[in-house]
Amino acid sequence: MDRLNAMRVLLTVVDAGSLSAGARKLNTVLPSVSRKVAELERELGTTLLIRTSRNVQLTDAGRDYVDAARRILADLDDAERRASGEYQAPRGELTVTASVEFGAHQVLPIVIAFLERHPEVTVRLIAADRMVHLVEEQVDVAVRLGPLPDSPLFAVKVGDYRMLSCASPAYLERRGTPQHPRDLADHDGILFGNPERFWTYHVDGVPLVATPRARLIVTTAASNRIAALGGVGIARVFDFQLREEFPTGALVPVLTEYDGAPRPVHLVYSRQGLLPLKVRAFIDFAAPQLRATCCAHPQP
């Protein structure tokens, strides 16, 4: 049997949580995945996985084997990178992920400039308003907005952002301007994201979650800003989306004295063995540019 291929299949199943999910990630059929795991168990003479109808669980032997397999495959990847010269010059495919709007406004121009400087690197930019798993989805660098959870990943802070409350002049003329976060209960709103994360104000230093009545619920930051421009109601919008709207008056800030502290922006990456030069080169290139742009907040 192909032992290395069997290791990769096993790790995919474990990371995906089930045989069927592993098969989908590998773009193959379930019987093939199940057979390869069973062949590996027969070869080793032990049970690695406890199968249930919904998921898989590692046995003690399986847990030890998976840890060893991760180290072996990481070492093999390092050896292949060395052989291909990836540690001598930046080259190969670099995968970067960022949220949709931040990626378009902030990250994409940096990626384009990076490609001009490094002709032997290609970039796959994943724009997604979700938490992309770096290891499972084979992502080299993520641009993350907000506080980071505890994890073994490495992070470099590159700036901060704010959520700002705003509305169109037409809406405020029609419904009035709220003077306190509690006034939002009498206003129409556009809701995007987690209310406790996006609609937290600070009153006398105490956090207060306050939201308007939901007239529209959206799932993207772009839709949030467009709906606010359309006069639907009050919205909480990322500051980097408002560099034209505030100066022109297309959107008007409200409740600015209650806005909370800025939230961090990080470059996040996984490090197993030597860091490929394409990753180090991108971090070194992107970090100072993001620090310059993330600190240029629009003035309400």
Side-chain angles (χ1 to χ4, degrees), residues 107-125:
V107 180
L108 182 57
I110 293 173
V111 166
I112 292 171
F114 179 77
L115 290 173
E116 293 176 355
R117 179 170 295 192
H118 298 285
E120 294 187 68
V121 177
T122 60
V123 174
R124 181 168 64 103
L125 180 59

Side-chain angles (χ1 to χ4, degrees), residues 63 138 157 172 196:
R63 191 173 296 106
Q138 298 181 321
K157 185 179 179 184
L172 295 176
E196 290 191 4

